[in-house]
Every structure is written in C-alpha cells, then in structure tokens.
C-alpha cells in the first residue's frame, strides 16, 4: 500500500511537470522566438517580482499549513509590495541615497510581517482576516505616500538591478534564482526546514516534540514581509519607479504558490515547486503576448488553477 501511494504521488508530480512542459512546447512551436535567449531572459526578469512574493507566501504555507481558511495564508503581500516600493521611490525623490531607501523599504516589509505575526499569534485573529486587514492598511498608506500618482526613481542601485549579468541574463533573473535556491537549501539541509514542515503539517506532534510552533509561524510571516520589501525594491528597478495597481498581484501570487503543489510528489508547498510555477506563469504570459492572445486570459487560467489545486488537496485530504 505504501509503495502504491509513493508511485501515485510520483506520477502526480511528474504529470504536473509534463503538463507544464507540454504548454511550453506549444509556445516553442507556435512562436519560434519563444526560446530565444533574449526572450528567456525577459521571462526571468518579468517573473522576478511575482516569484519573490510567491516565495514569501510559500514560507507561510509551509509553516502554517495549506488550509486556506484556518491555515497559513498571507493576503497582504501585494500591499507590502506596493507600500515598500512607494517608500523606496518617495525617499529617492527626496534625495536620499540607496542605502537609506533600501533600508526603509526592507524595514517597511519587516514591519508588515511583524504586524501580521502579532495579529495572528497575540490577538488570535484568523490569518485570512488578519492579512486581509493588513493588506487594506498597506493599500491606504501607499496612497498616502504616492498621492495616487506615479513616483519615478533613478539611482545606481536601480541601474544595477535593471542591468544584465553573465550570459546576458537580467540581474533580476539572477536575484530570483539566488533567493529561491538559497531558501530551498536552507529548508532542505538544516533542521529549520524539517521543523517548519512539522509545524505546518503536524502542529500537535510538533508541540509534543517541544518545538516552539508559535516562533516558526511568526518567523514565516516576518520573512514573508521582508521578501515583500525586497519585491518592492525589485518592482521599482523594473518599472523605474513606484506605480499603483499592486493589488492586482494578489491573485497571481496565490495561484503561483498553490500551483507549485502540482510538481511536488507529496502535494505540499515547496520552494522549488513555487519557482517552477513562477516561471511557468511568466512563460504563459509571454507566450500569449508572442501569439497575440489577450493576456487577460491568464487571470482566468490562474483562477482555474487555484480551484483545481485546492480542490485536489481537499479530495486528497478526505481520501487520507
């Protein structure tokens, strides 16, 4: 029986990966420029903000569990992105240097993470409601900072992040890969990762084993907020300023984090799965653009993917 379960899980993970490869193969055939190195670099660059935010949500899912109502969820990430970007660009316009602007943006993300952790662990507010409220607070503060207008920004840091590295791959692409690989290694080869998975998957057993579950949950929200601050800086570098509309990132972030389950043998959130899902959705948007298909279809596909993955998780849970 155990062997059959492992085989089924392996086929499910392989099936998700094969589905992604099949979609990419269609784009490669229909749009030959899809596989050009310059276009692949563009996909990496365009996926950086989404990927960094999705990595933050994945950390919360790992430690909080995948129940979207009672488990780990962070709806404030898009708001954190917008507010952090506005703070960076606003200070840049005021004449502050890159160290001060970056520190303020990262501090903003860190503060949002602390507020989320406090609301969930100290006030006992369900994560869904707590992070939804914090998202609205961030959105309001972003409007205060930007006065509902675009704030242009230019600095050596922005120029560096907007440039290209070895093999003509954008620096933002390298940053996304470095963050993903670093987090994956941290969770795979250190006790921290095993304990985080235990807290999210088996909280009662983790508490019985003496693990301070609250610290891990709080740490995931703080780290998630910090990644939101990083994404804010990356967004300013990509757009050369802070613009509105960050709330539109919410659905893609949730879709990406949950889509990562499809390439996991255990149908659980993983950093590598989220990275693959990020590149898939980035490729999907890029492929539609090359085929002159409206990218509005991507939103519908993201919603359908969320339903499919969450539904499959519910069925799997009942079967277990």
């Amino acid at each position: 029986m155990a062997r059959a379960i492992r085989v089924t899980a392996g086929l499910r993970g392989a099936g998700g990966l094969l589905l992604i490869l099949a979609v990419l193969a269609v784009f490669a055939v229909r749009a030959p420029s899809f596989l050009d190195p310059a276009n692949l670099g563009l996909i990496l660059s365009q996926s950086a903000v989404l990927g960094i935010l999705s990595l933050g949500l994945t950390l919360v899912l790992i430690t909080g569990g995948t129940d979207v109502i009672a488990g780990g969820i962070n709806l404030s990430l898009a708001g954190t992105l917008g507010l952090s970007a506005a703070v960076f660009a606003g200070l840049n316009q005021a004449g502050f240097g890159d160290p001060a602007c970056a520190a303020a943006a990262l501090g903003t993300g860190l503060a949002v993470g602390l507020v989320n952790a406090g609301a969930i662990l100290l006030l006992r507010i369900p994560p869904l409601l707590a992070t939804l409220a914090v998202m609205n607070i961030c959105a309001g503060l972003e409007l205060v900072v930007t006065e509902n207008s675009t704030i242009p920004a230019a600095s050596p840091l922005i120029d560096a992040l907007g440039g290209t590295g070895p093999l003509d791959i954008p620096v933002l692409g390298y940053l996304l890969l470095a963050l993903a690989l670093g987090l994956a290694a941290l969770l795979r080869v250190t006790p921290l990762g095993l304990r985080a998975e235990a807290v999210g998957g088996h909280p009662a057993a983790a508490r019985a084993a003496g693990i301070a579950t609250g610290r891990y949950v709080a740490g995931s929200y703080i780290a998630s907020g910090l990644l939101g601050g990083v994404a804010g800086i990356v967004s300013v570098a990509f757009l050369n300023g802070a613009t509105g509309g960050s709330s539109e990132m919410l659905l893609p972030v949730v879709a990406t984090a949950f889509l990562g389950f499809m390439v996991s043998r255990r149908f659980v959130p993983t950093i590598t799965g989220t990275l693959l899902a990020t590149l898939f959705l980035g490729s999907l948007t890029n492929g539609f653009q090359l085929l002159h298909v409206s990218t509005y279809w991507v939103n519908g596909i993201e919603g359908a993917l969320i339903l499919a993955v969450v539904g499959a998780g519910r069925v799997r849970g009942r079967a277990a």
Side-chain angles (χ1 to χ4, degrees):
M1 177 64 71
R3 182 179 179 182
I5 293 175
R6 287 195 299 269
V7 171
T8 301
L11 289 175
R12 182 176 56 241
L17 186 58
L18 288 174
L19 175 62
I20 291 174
L21 292 175
V23 172
L24 299 184
V26 171
F27 287 143
V29 172
R30 296 288 303 278
S33 61
F34 179 76
L35 293 179
D36 287 351
N39 189 61
L40 296 178
L42 178 62
I43 292 173
L44 275 173
S45 180
Q46 291 176 331
S47 302
V49 173
L50 172 62
I52 294 171
L53 291 177
S54 301
L55 292 175
L57 179 55
T58 302
L59 293 177
V60 171
L61 291 172
I62 290 173
T63 58
T66 57
D67 189 318
V68 295
I69 302 299
I73 192 68
N74 187 355
L75 301 181
S76 68
L77 275 164
T80 307
L81 157 72
L83 181 57
S84 299
V87 168
F88 185 100
L91 290 177
N92 175 266
Q93 279 286 295
F96 288 87
D98 283 330
C101 295
L106 295 177
T108 298
L110 192 63
V112 174
L114 286 169
V115 171
N116 280 328
I120 293 166
L121 295 173
L122 298 180
L123 301 180
R124 303 295 181 182
I125 301 175
L128 184 69
L129 297 179
T131 58
L132 180 63
V134 173
M135 177 189 73
N136 286 323
I137 293 172
C138 290
L141 291 176
E142 179 188 357
L143 290 175
V144 170
V145 174
T146 64
E147 297 181 349
N148 200 26
S149 61
T150 299
I151 303 178
S155 73
L157 176 60
I158 292 175
D159 292 339
L161 290 175
T164 57
L167 305 177
D168 288 332
I169 295 176
V171 172
L172 294 181
Y174 279 114
L175 178 60
L176 170 62
L177 295 176
L179 284 173
L181 294 178
L183 288 173
L186 179 67
L187 295 177
R188 282 287 185 90
V189 303
T190 68
L192 178 68
L194 294 175
R195 292 170 184 167
E197 288 188 7
V199 169
H202 308 282
R207 284 191 292 269
I211 298 175
T213 57
R215 292 183 182 178
Y216 281 84
V217 172
S220 70
Y221 280 100
I222 293 170
S224 180
L226 190 59
L227 286 173
V230 173
I233 298 173
V234 169
S235 174
V236 172
F238 186 73
L239 300 173
N240 291 313
T243 62
S246 60
S247 61
E248 296 178 0
M249 292 293 296
L250 178 58
L251 178 60
V253 169
V254 174
T256 302
F258 279 90
L259 180 59
F261 293 19
M262 290 181 59
V263 294
S264 168
R265 290 185 302 171
R266 295 180 295 147
F267 209 75
V268 295
T270 63
I271 296 297
T272 52
T274 297
L275 177 61
L276 290 174
T278 298
L279 298 179
F280 170 66
L281 289 179
S283 300
L284 197 65
T285 302
N286 180 269
F288 279 7
Q289 290 172 342
L290 292 177
L291 295 177
H292 305 292
V293 176
S294 174
T295 54
Y296 292 138
W297 283 99
V298 176
N299 290 334
I301 292 173
E302 288 167 347
L305 289 172
I306 292 175
L307 288 176
V309 175
V310 174
R314 290 288 187 178
V315 171
R316 179 176 178 271
R318 287 196 295 269

PDB file of all heavy atoms in Angstrom, residues 279-314:
ATOM      1  N   LEU A 279       7.980  30.472 -13.121  1.00  0.00           N
ATOM      2  CA  LEU A 279       8.500  30.508 -14.492  1.00  0.00           C
ATOM      3  C   LEU A 279       7.430  30.048 -15.487  1.00  0.00           C
ATOM      4  O   LEU A 279       7.380  30.542 -16.620  1.00  0.00           O
ATOM      5  CB  LEU A 279       9.747  29.626 -14.597  1.00  0.00           C
ATOM      6  CG  LEU A 279      10.918  30.075 -13.705  1.00  0.00           C
ATOM      7  CD1 LEU A 279      12.101  29.124 -13.856  1.00  0.00           C
ATOM      8  CD2 LEU A 279      11.340  31.498 -14.025  1.00  0.00           C
ATOM      9  N   PHE A 280       6.581  29.130 -15.064  1.00  0.00           N
ATOM     10  CA  PHE A 280       5.504  28.676 -15.948  1.00  0.00           C
ATOM     11  C   PHE A 280       4.517  29.794 -16.231  1.00  0.00           C
ATOM     12  O   PHE A 280       4.161  30.057 -17.389  1.00  0.00           O
ATOM     13  CB  PHE A 280       4.778  27.482 -15.326  1.00  0.00           C
ATOM     14  CG  PHE A 280       3.510  27.102 -16.044  1.00  0.00           C
ATOM     15  CD1 PHE A 280       3.555  26.614 -17.335  1.00  0.00           C
ATOM     16  CD2 PHE A 280       2.279  27.256 -15.432  1.00  0.00           C
ATOM     17  CE1 PHE A 280       2.387  26.270 -18.013  1.00  0.00           C
ATOM     18  CE2 PHE A 280       1.110  26.918 -16.085  1.00  0.00           C
ATOM     19  CZ  PHE A 280       1.164  26.423 -17.384  1.00  0.00           C
ATOM     20  N   LEU A 281       4.054  30.486 -15.174  1.00  0.00           N
ATOM     21  CA  LEU A 281       3.089  31.563 -15.379  1.00  0.00           C
ATOM     22  C   LEU A 281       3.723  32.736 -16.122  1.00  0.00           C
ATOM     23  O   LEU A 281       3.067  33.396 -16.937  1.00  0.00           O
ATOM     24  CB  LEU A 281       2.536  32.029 -14.040  1.00  0.00           C
ATOM     25  CG  LEU A 281       1.588  31.042 -13.340  1.00  0.00           C
ATOM     26  CD1 LEU A 281       1.123  31.585 -12.013  1.00  0.00           C
ATOM     27  CD2 LEU A 281       0.395  30.714 -14.234  1.00  0.00           C
ATOM     28  N   GLY A 282       5.008  32.991 -15.864  1.00  0.00           N
ATOM     29  CA  GLY A 282       5.704  34.020 -16.629  1.00  0.00           C
ATOM     30  C   GLY A 282       5.797  33.656 -18.097  1.00  0.00           C
ATOM     31  O   GLY A 282       5.615  34.500 -18.979  1.00  0.00           O
ATOM     32  N   SER A 283       6.068  32.381 -18.362  1.00  0.00           N
ATOM     33  CA  SER A 283       6.131  31.901 -19.747  1.00  0.00           C
ATOM     34  C   SER A 283       4.757  31.938 -20.402  1.00  0.00           C
ATOM     35  O   SER A 283       4.632  32.219 -21.602  1.00  0.00           O
ATOM     36  CB  SER A 283       6.679  30.469 -19.788  1.00  0.00           C
ATOM     37  OG  SER A 283       7.978  30.408 -19.239  1.00  0.00           O
ATOM     38  N   LEU A 284       3.727  31.660 -19.612  1.00  0.00           N
ATOM     39  CA  LEU A 284       2.358  31.686 -20.142  1.00  0.00           C
ATOM     40  C   LEU A 284       2.009  33.097 -20.615  1.00  0.00           C
ATOM     41  O   LEU A 284       1.489  33.281 -21.733  1.00  0.00           O
ATOM     42  CB  LEU A 284       1.391  31.239 -19.045  1.00  0.00           C
ATOM     43  CG  LEU A 284      -0.009  30.810 -19.472  1.00  0.00           C
ATOM     44  CD1 LEU A 284       0.044  29.554 -20.327  1.00  0.00           C
ATOM     45  CD2 LEU A 284      -0.874  30.572 -18.240  1.00  0.00           C
ATOM     46  N   THR A 285       2.290  34.091 -19.792  1.00  0.00           N
ATOM     47  CA  THR A 285       2.022  35.478 -20.175  1.00  0.00           C
ATOM     48  C   THR A 285       2.831  35.876 -21.397  1.00  0.00           C
ATOM     49  O   THR A 285       2.316  36.487 -22.348  1.00  0.00           O
ATOM     50  CB  THR A 285       2.356  36.419 -19.006  1.00  0.00           C
ATOM     51  OG1 THR A 285       1.573  36.054 -17.863  1.00  0.00           O
ATOM     52  CG2 THR A 285       2.070  37.861 -19.378  1.00  0.00           C
ATOM     53  N   ASN A 286       4.108  35.515 -21.400  1.00  0.00           N
ATOM     54  CA  ASN A 286       4.984  35.853 -22.515  1.00  0.00           C
ATOM     55  C   ASN A 286       4.546  35.150 -23.794  1.00  0.00           C
ATOM     56  O   ASN A 286       4.526  35.760 -24.877  1.00  0.00           O
ATOM     57  CB  ASN A 286       6.418  35.470 -22.159  1.00  0.00           C
ATOM     58  CG  ASN A 286       7.408  35.796 -23.265  1.00  0.00           C
ATOM     59  OD1 ASN A 286       7.684  34.966 -24.127  1.00  0.00           O
ATOM     60  ND2 ASN A 286       7.953  37.001 -23.246  1.00  0.00           N
ATOM     61  N   GLY A 287       4.170  33.886 -23.683  1.00  0.00           N
ATOM     62  CA  GLY A 287       3.733  33.141 -24.863  1.00  0.00           C
ATOM     63  C   GLY A 287       2.470  33.717 -25.459  1.00  0.00           C
ATOM     64  O   GLY A 287       2.324  33.818 -26.692  1.00  0.00           O
ATOM     65  N   PHE A 288       1.524  34.124 -24.602  1.00  0.00           N
ATOM     66  CA  PHE A 288       0.301  34.752 -25.105  1.00  0.00           C
ATOM     67  C   PHE A 288       0.614  36.047 -25.842  1.00  0.00           C
ATOM     68  O   PHE A 288       0.003  36.362 -26.865  1.00  0.00           O
ATOM     69  CB  PHE A 288      -0.657  35.025 -23.947  1.00  0.00           C
ATOM     70  CG  PHE A 288      -1.462  33.836 -23.509  1.00  0.00           C
ATOM     71  CD1 PHE A 288      -1.209  32.576 -24.035  1.00  0.00           C
ATOM     72  CD2 PHE A 288      -2.461  33.959 -22.570  1.00  0.00           C
ATOM     73  CE1 PHE A 288      -1.944  31.465 -23.641  1.00  0.00           C
ATOM     74  CE2 PHE A 288      -3.211  32.870 -22.169  1.00  0.00           C
ATOM     75  CZ  PHE A 288      -2.944  31.619 -22.709  1.00  0.00           C
ATOM     76  N   GLN A 289       1.576  36.804 -25.311  1.00  0.00           N
ATOM     77  CA  GLN A 289       1.957  38.052 -25.981  1.00  0.00           C
ATOM     78  C   GLN A 289       2.549  37.767 -27.355  1.00  0.00           C
ATOM     79  O   GLN A 289       2.241  38.464 -28.328  1.00  0.00           O
ATOM     80  CB  GLN A 289       2.967  38.805 -25.111  1.00  0.00           C
ATOM     81  CG  GLN A 289       2.381  39.378 -23.842  1.00  0.00           C
ATOM     82  CD  GLN A 289       3.435  39.944 -22.910  1.00  0.00           C
ATOM     83  OE1 GLN A 289       4.615  39.627 -23.042  1.00  0.00           O
ATOM     84  NE2 GLN A 289       3.019  40.763 -21.961  1.00  0.00           N
ATOM     85  N   LEU A 290       3.388  36.741 -27.455  1.00  0.00           N
ATOM     86  CA  LEU A 290       4.006  36.410 -28.733  1.00  0.00           C
ATOM     87  C   LEU A 290       2.973  35.904 -29.743  1.00  0.00           C
ATOM     88  O   LEU A 290       3.116  36.124 -30.948  1.00  0.00           O
ATOM     89  CB  LEU A 290       5.092  35.348 -28.541  1.00  0.00           C
ATOM     90  CG  LEU A 290       6.336  35.787 -27.762  1.00  0.00           C
ATOM     91  CD1 LEU A 290       7.290  34.607 -27.577  1.00  0.00           C
ATOM     92  CD2 LEU A 290       7.056  36.925 -28.473  1.00  0.00           C
ATOM     93  N   LEU A 291       1.929  35.242 -29.247  1.00  0.00           N
ATOM     94  CA  LEU A 291       0.887  34.712 -30.132  1.00  0.00           C
ATOM     95  C   LEU A 291      -0.250  35.714 -30.342  1.00  0.00           C
ATOM     96  O   LEU A 291      -1.255  35.377 -30.980  1.00  0.00           O
ATOM     97  CB  LEU A 291       0.326  33.414 -29.553  1.00  0.00           C
ATOM     98  CG  LEU A 291       1.310  32.237 -29.466  1.00  0.00           C
ATOM     99  CD1 LEU A 291       0.644  31.038 -28.806  1.00  0.00           C
ATOM    100  CD2 LEU A 291       1.836  31.857 -30.849  1.00  0.00           C
ATOM    101  N   HIS A 292      -0.076  36.916 -29.792  1.00  0.00           N
ATOM    102  CA  HIS A 292      -1.082  37.978 -29.916  1.00  0.00           C
ATOM    103  C   HIS A 292      -2.432  37.550 -29.350  1.00  0.00           C
ATOM    104  O   HIS A 292      -3.488  37.876 -29.891  1.00  0.00           O
ATOM    105  CB  HIS A 292      -1.237  38.392 -31.384  1.00  0.00           C
ATOM    106  CG  HIS A 292       0.051  38.810 -32.024  1.00  0.00           C
ATOM    107  ND1 HIS A 292       0.733  39.956 -31.682  1.00  0.00           N
ATOM    108  CD2 HIS A 292       0.826  38.199 -32.975  1.00  0.00           C
ATOM    109  CE1 HIS A 292       1.839  40.057 -32.396  1.00  0.00           C
ATOM    110  NE2 HIS A 292       1.930  39.011 -33.184  1.00  0.00           N
ATOM    111  N   VAL A 293      -2.364  36.814 -28.235  1.00  0.00           N
ATOM    112  CA  VAL A 293      -3.569  36.435 -27.498  1.00  0.00           C
ATOM    113  C   VAL A 293      -3.660  37.338 -26.280  1.00  0.00           C
ATOM    114  O   VAL A 293      -2.656  37.601 -25.628  1.00  0.00           O
ATOM    115  CB  VAL A 293      -3.506  34.954 -27.062  1.00  0.00           C
ATOM    116  CG1 VAL A 293      -4.730  34.598 -26.221  1.00  0.00           C
ATOM    117  CG2 VAL A 293      -3.407  34.051 -28.282  1.00  0.00           C
ATOM    118  N   SER A 294      -4.852  37.824 -25.977  1.00  0.00           N
ATOM    119  CA  SER A 294      -5.019  38.727 -24.850  1.00  0.00           C
ATOM    120  C   SER A 294      -4.524  38.079 -23.558  1.00  0.00           C
ATOM    121  O   SER A 294      -4.908  36.953 -23.218  1.00  0.00           O
ATOM    122  CB  SER A 294      -6.486  39.119 -24.685  1.00  0.00           C
ATOM    123  OG  SER A 294      -6.660  39.879 -23.500  1.00  0.00           O
ATOM    124  N   THR A 295      -3.657  38.793 -22.843  1.00  0.00           N
ATOM    125  CA  THR A 295      -3.142  38.263 -21.579  1.00  0.00           C
ATOM    126  C   THR A 295      -4.202  38.281 -20.479  1.00  0.00           C
ATOM    127  O   THR A 295      -3.951  37.767 -19.381  1.00  0.00           O
ATOM    128  CB  THR A 295      -1.915  39.080 -21.110  1.00  0.00           C
ATOM    129  OG1 THR A 295      -2.260  40.466 -21.068  1.00  0.00           O
ATOM    130  CG2 THR A 295      -0.747  38.887 -22.058  1.00  0.00           C
ATOM    131  N   TYR A 296      -5.386  38.856 -20.755  1.00  0.00           N
ATOM    132  CA  TYR A 296      -6.468  38.788 -19.780  1.00  0.00           C
ATOM    133  C   TYR A 296      -6.874  37.337 -19.524  1.00  0.00           C
ATOM    134  O   TYR A 296      -7.425  37.013 -18.466  1.00  0.00           O
ATOM    135  CB  TYR A 296      -7.688  39.580 -20.264  1.00  0.00           C
ATOM    136  CG  TYR A 296      -7.452  41.071 -20.316  1.00  0.00           C
ATOM    137  CD1 TYR A 296      -7.918  41.833 -21.380  1.00  0.00           C
ATOM    138  CD2 TYR A 296      -6.771  41.723 -19.292  1.00  0.00           C
ATOM    139  CE1 TYR A 296      -7.706  43.208 -21.430  1.00  0.00           C
ATOM    140  CE2 TYR A 296      -6.549  43.091 -19.335  1.00  0.00           C
ATOM    141  CZ  TYR A 296      -7.019  43.819 -20.407  1.00  0.00           C
ATOM    142  OH  TYR A 296      -6.814  45.169 -20.450  1.00  0.00           O
ATOM    143  N   TRP A 297      -6.604  36.462 -20.506  1.00  0.00           N
ATOM    144  CA  TRP A 297      -6.908  35.048 -20.319  1.00  0.00           C
ATOM    145  C   TRP A 297      -6.093  34.452 -19.181  1.00  0.00           C
ATOM    146  O   TRP A 297      -6.511  33.479 -18.553  1.00  0.00           O
ATOM    147  CB  TRP A 297      -6.629  34.267 -21.600  1.00  0.00           C
ATOM    148  CG  TRP A 297      -7.681  34.427 -22.653  1.00  0.00           C
ATOM    149  CD1 TRP A 297      -7.646  35.253 -23.738  1.00  0.00           C
ATOM    150  CD2 TRP A 297      -8.937  33.752 -22.717  1.00  0.00           C
ATOM    151  NE1 TRP A 297      -8.801  35.136 -24.474  1.00  0.00           N
ATOM    152  CE2 TRP A 297      -9.613  34.214 -23.874  1.00  0.00           C
ATOM    153  CE3 TRP A 297      -9.556  32.797 -21.918  1.00  0.00           C
ATOM    154  CZ2 TRP A 297     -10.867  33.755 -24.234  1.00  0.00           C
ATOM    155  CZ3 TRP A 297     -10.821  32.331 -22.269  1.00  0.00           C
ATOM    156  CH2 TRP A 297     -11.462  32.820 -23.419  1.00  0.00           C
ATOM    157  N   VAL A 298      -4.919  35.028 -18.919  1.00  0.00           N
ATOM    158  CA  VAL A 298      -4.061  34.486 -17.868  1.00  0.00           C
ATOM    159  C   VAL A 298      -4.760  34.554 -16.514  1.00  0.00           C
ATOM    160  O   VAL A 298      -4.646  33.635 -15.697  1.00  0.00           O
ATOM    161  CB  VAL A 298      -2.719  35.253 -17.820  1.00  0.00           C
ATOM    162  CG1 VAL A 298      -1.857  34.756 -16.671  1.00  0.00           C
ATOM    163  CG2 VAL A 298      -1.977  35.088 -19.135  1.00  0.00           C
ATOM    164  N   ASN A 299      -5.507  35.650 -16.257  1.00  0.00           N
ATOM    165  CA  ASN A 299      -6.212  35.768 -14.985  1.00  0.00           C
ATOM    166  C   ASN A 299      -7.217  34.635 -14.801  1.00  0.00           C
ATOM    167  O   ASN A 299      -7.334  34.066 -13.715  1.00  0.00           O
ATOM    168  CB  ASN A 299      -6.937  37.115 -14.901  1.00  0.00           C
ATOM    169  CG  ASN A 299      -5.983  38.280 -14.765  1.00  0.00           C
ATOM    170  OD1 ASN A 299      -4.879  38.123 -14.271  1.00  0.00           O
ATOM    171  ND2 ASN A 299      -6.399  39.454 -15.215  1.00  0.00           N
ATOM    172  N   GLY A 300      -7.946  34.334 -15.864  1.00  0.00           N
ATOM    173  CA  GLY A 300      -8.901  33.230 -15.788  1.00  0.00           C
ATOM    174  C   GLY A 300      -8.214  31.906 -15.554  1.00  0.00           C
ATOM    175  O   GLY A 300      -8.686  31.067 -14.775  1.00  0.00           O
ATOM    176  N   ILE A 301      -7.086  31.696 -16.217  1.00  0.00           N
ATOM    177  CA  ILE A 301      -6.340  30.454 -16.037  1.00  0.00           C
ATOM    178  C   ILE A 301      -5.814  30.345 -14.611  1.00  0.00           C
ATOM    179  O   ILE A 301      -5.858  29.268 -13.994  1.00  0.00           O
ATOM    180  CB  ILE A 301      -5.182  30.385 -17.051  1.00  0.00           C
ATOM    181  CG1 ILE A 301      -5.751  30.242 -18.471  1.00  0.00           C
ATOM    182  CG2 ILE A 301      -4.244  29.219 -16.742  1.00  0.00           C
ATOM    183  CD1 ILE A 301      -4.699  30.337 -19.554  1.00  0.00           C
ATOM    184  N   GLU A 302      -5.333  31.451 -14.065  1.00  0.00           N
ATOM    185  CA  GLU A 302      -4.833  31.446 -12.681  1.00  0.00           C
ATOM    186  C   GLU A 302      -5.942  31.071 -11.707  1.00  0.00           C
ATOM    187  O   GLU A 302      -5.737  30.270 -10.786  1.00  0.00           O
ATOM    188  CB  GLU A 302      -4.256  32.812 -12.327  1.00  0.00           C
ATOM    189  CG  GLU A 302      -2.937  33.110 -13.021  1.00  0.00           C
ATOM    190  CD  GLU A 302      -2.534  34.572 -12.906  1.00  0.00           C
ATOM    191  OE1 GLU A 302      -3.378  35.391 -12.501  1.00  0.00           O
ATOM    192  OE2 GLU A 302      -1.379  34.883 -13.229  1.00  0.00           O
ATOM    193  N   GLY A 303      -7.135  31.638 -11.908  1.00  0.00           N
ATOM    194  CA  GLY A 303      -8.253  31.295 -11.040  1.00  0.00           C
ATOM    195  C   GLY A 303      -8.626  29.830 -11.147  1.00  0.00           C
ATOM    196  O   GLY A 303      -8.894  29.163 -10.137  1.00  0.00           O
ATOM    197  N   ALA A 304      -8.637  29.305 -12.379  1.00  0.00           N
ATOM    198  CA  ALA A 304      -8.960  27.898 -12.578  1.00  0.00           C
ATOM    199  C   ALA A 304      -7.915  26.995 -11.925  1.00  0.00           C
ATOM    200  O   ALA A 304      -8.245  25.950 -11.345  1.00  0.00           O
ATOM    201  CB  ALA A 304      -9.053  27.594 -14.074  1.00  0.00           C
ATOM    202  N   LEU A 305      -6.656  27.397 -11.998  1.00  0.00           N
ATOM    203  CA  LEU A 305      -5.596  26.600 -11.382  1.00  0.00           C
ATOM    204  C   LEU A 305      -5.736  26.562  -9.868  1.00  0.00           C
ATOM    205  O   LEU A 305      -5.513  25.519  -9.237  1.00  0.00           O
ATOM    206  CB  LEU A 305      -4.224  27.161 -11.780  1.00  0.00           C
ATOM    207  CG  LEU A 305      -3.810  26.941 -13.234  1.00  0.00           C
ATOM    208  CD1 LEU A 305      -2.523  27.713 -13.539  1.00  0.00           C
ATOM    209  CD2 LEU A 305      -3.608  25.457 -13.522  1.00  0.00           C
ATOM    210  N   ILE A 306      -6.104  27.696  -9.274  1.00  0.00           N
ATOM    211  CA  ILE A 306      -6.316  27.718  -7.828  1.00  0.00           C
ATOM    212  C   ILE A 306      -7.427  26.744  -7.439  1.00  0.00           C
ATOM    213  O   ILE A 306      -7.287  25.936  -6.506  1.00  0.00           O
ATOM    214  CB  ILE A 306      -6.661  29.135  -7.342  1.00  0.00           C
ATOM    215  CG1 ILE A 306      -5.456  30.061  -7.495  1.00  0.00           C
ATOM    216  CG2 ILE A 306      -7.083  29.107  -5.874  1.00  0.00           C
ATOM    217  CD1 ILE A 306      -5.762  31.508  -7.142  1.00  0.00           C
ATOM    218  N   LEU A 307      -8.552  26.782  -8.159  1.00  0.00           N
ATOM    219  CA  LEU A 307      -9.655  25.871  -7.875  1.00  0.00           C
ATOM    220  C   LEU A 307      -9.226  24.421  -8.021  1.00  0.00           C
ATOM    221  O   LEU A 307      -9.564  23.575  -7.184  1.00  0.00           O
ATOM    222  CB  LEU A 307     -10.836  26.173  -8.808  1.00  0.00           C
ATOM    223  CG  LEU A 307     -11.633  27.446  -8.547  1.00  0.00           C
ATOM    224  CD1 LEU A 307     -12.704  27.625  -9.628  1.00  0.00           C
ATOM    225  CD2 LEU A 307     -12.279  27.396  -7.169  1.00  0.00           C
ATOM    226  N   ALA A 308      -8.477  24.133  -9.092  1.00  0.00           N
ATOM    227  CA  ALA A 308      -8.054  22.754  -9.349  1.00  0.00           C
ATOM    228  C   ALA A 308      -7.126  22.240  -8.255  1.00  0.00           C
ATOM    229  O   ALA A 308      -7.303  21.131  -7.742  1.00  0.00           O
ATOM    230  CB  ALA A 308      -7.361  22.666 -10.715  1.00  0.00           C
ATOM    231  N   VAL A 309      -6.146  23.050  -7.873  1.00  0.00           N
ATOM    232  CA  VAL A 309      -5.171  22.589  -6.887  1.00  0.00           C
ATOM    233  C   VAL A 309      -5.783  22.478  -5.503  1.00  0.00           C
ATOM    234  O   VAL A 309      -5.576  21.484  -4.800  1.00  0.00           O
ATOM    235  CB  VAL A 309      -3.949  23.539  -6.866  1.00  0.00           C
ATOM    236  CG1 VAL A 309      -2.985  23.152  -5.767  1.00  0.00           C
ATOM    237  CG2 VAL A 309      -3.233  23.498  -8.203  1.00  0.00           C
ATOM    238  N   VAL A 310      -6.551  23.497  -5.079  1.00  0.00           N
ATOM    239  CA  VAL A 310      -7.179  23.439  -3.761  1.00  0.00           C
ATOM    240  C   VAL A 310      -8.200  22.307  -3.713  1.00  0.00           C
ATOM    241  O   VAL A 310      -8.290  21.569  -2.725  1.00  0.00           O
ATOM    242  CB  VAL A 310      -7.840  24.785  -3.421  1.00  0.00           C
ATOM    243  CG1 VAL A 310      -8.624  24.683  -2.115  1.00  0.00           C
ATOM    244  CG2 VAL A 310      -6.778  25.872  -3.297  1.00  0.00           C
ATOM    245  N   GLY A 311      -8.970  22.128  -4.798  1.00  0.00           N
ATOM    246  CA  GLY A 311      -9.929  21.028  -4.855  1.00  0.00           C
ATOM    247  C   GLY A 311      -9.259  19.679  -4.767  1.00  0.00           C
ATOM    248  O   GLY A 311      -9.706  18.779  -4.044  1.00  0.00           O
ATOM    249  N   ALA A 312      -8.147  19.524  -5.474  1.00  0.00           N
ATOM    250  CA  ALA A 312      -7.406  18.269  -5.420  1.00  0.00           C
ATOM    251  C   ALA A 312      -6.863  18.008  -4.025  1.00  0.00           C
ATOM    252  O   ALA A 312      -6.857  16.870  -3.541  1.00  0.00           O
ATOM    253  CB  ALA A 312      -6.256  18.286  -6.422  1.00  0.00           C
ATOM    254  N   GLY A 313      -6.430  19.068  -3.349  1.00  0.00           N
ATOM    255  CA  GLY A 313      -5.937  18.924  -1.985  1.00  0.00           C
ATOM    256  C   GLY A 313      -7.030  18.486  -1.038  1.00  0.00           C
ATOM    257  O   GLY A 313      -6.820  17.653  -0.151  1.00  0.00           O
ATOM    258  N   ARG A 314      -8.255  19.017  -1.221  1.00  0.00           N
ATOM    259  CA  ARG A 314      -9.377  18.627  -0.372  1.00  0.00           C
ATOM    260  C   ARG A 314      -9.728  17.152  -0.590  1.00  0.00           C
ATOM    261  O   ARG A 314      -9.970  16.403   0.361  1.00  0.00           O
ATOM    262  CB  ARG A 314     -10.591  19.497  -0.706  1.00  0.00           C
ATOM    263  CG  ARG A 314     -10.469  20.945  -0.278  1.00  0.00           C
ATOM    264  CD  ARG A 314     -10.585  21.075   1.220  1.00  0.00           C
ATOM    265  NE  ARG A 314     -10.632  22.486   1.611  1.00  0.00           N
ATOM    266  CZ  ARG A 314     -10.764  22.890   2.854  1.00  0.00           C
ATOM    267  NH1 ARG A 314     -10.842  22.007   3.834  1.00  0.00           N
ATOM    268  NH2 ARG A 314     -10.786  24.169   3.146  1.00  0.00           N
TER     269      ARG A 314
END
